[in-house]
Amino acid sequence: MHYRLFLTVHGVIYSLFAVALFVIPSIMWPVYGVQINDQYALFLSQHTSIFLGGIAAVSFMMRGVLDSNAQLQLIKALLITNLLGVIITTYAGIIGIFVGLGWSDPLFFLVLSAATYIQLKQIRVAADH
């Protein structure tokens, strides 16, 4: 996948989750087995949207970067972010926080990590030529 398209898709995915966790957290979280019980849990969900939205913004804003080293470093950072998603959401499933469809979240981050890794390999190959 072309670098620009990859970042667009990555940004759209993170944007959708940022908006959903901000606007409809009481619908989104129960799908994963997590209840929004009070105003503090609601705020933490909305607070999480800051970071998801930030990752989306970085993905969108960096699409035009032509420097191969900058592209490489950005994709590495996104890979680390997605791998952290795999680790943290897997942990949530193991300790019983995420139940039901909650196990889809580690798989989701695993797919994003794989796609990001493939993108990283493509950029490395292009940089070598």
Side-chain angles (χ1 to χ4, degrees), residues 3-105:
Y3 173 79
R4 186 172 172 84
L5 177 59
F6 172 79
L7 288 179
T8 300
V9 170
H10 195 272
V12 166
I13 290 168
Y14 271 86
S15 293
L16 291 172
F17 278 96
V19 170
L21 291 180
F22 185 81
V23 177
I24 54 170
S26 56
I27 294 172
M28 288 295 294
W29 284 116
V31 171
Y32 297 99
V34 178
Q35 298 300 317
I36 301 293
N37 296 327
D38 57 27
Q39 67 187 20
Y40 305 106
L42 178 65
F43 171 74
L44 285 175
S45 178
Q46 293 172 327
H47 190 269
T48 300
S49 294
I50 296 168
F51 307 107
L52 296 174
I55 293 168
V58 168
S59 294
F60 288 129
M61 301 300 284
M62 298 297 287
R63 294 177 303 165
V65 170
L66 300 177
D67 179 81
S68 59
N69 188 49
Q71 290 177 348
L72 187 65
Q73 297 308 317
L74 173 63
I75 298 301
K76 284 181 187 177
L78 294 177
L79 179 58
I80 290 167
T81 300
N82 291 323
L83 288 172
L84 285 170
V86 172
I87 293 165
I88 292 167
T89 58
T90 299
Y91 174 75
I94 290 170
I95 65 170
I97 292 174
F98 277 179
V99 295
L101 203 55
W103 280 101
S104 68
D105 220 32

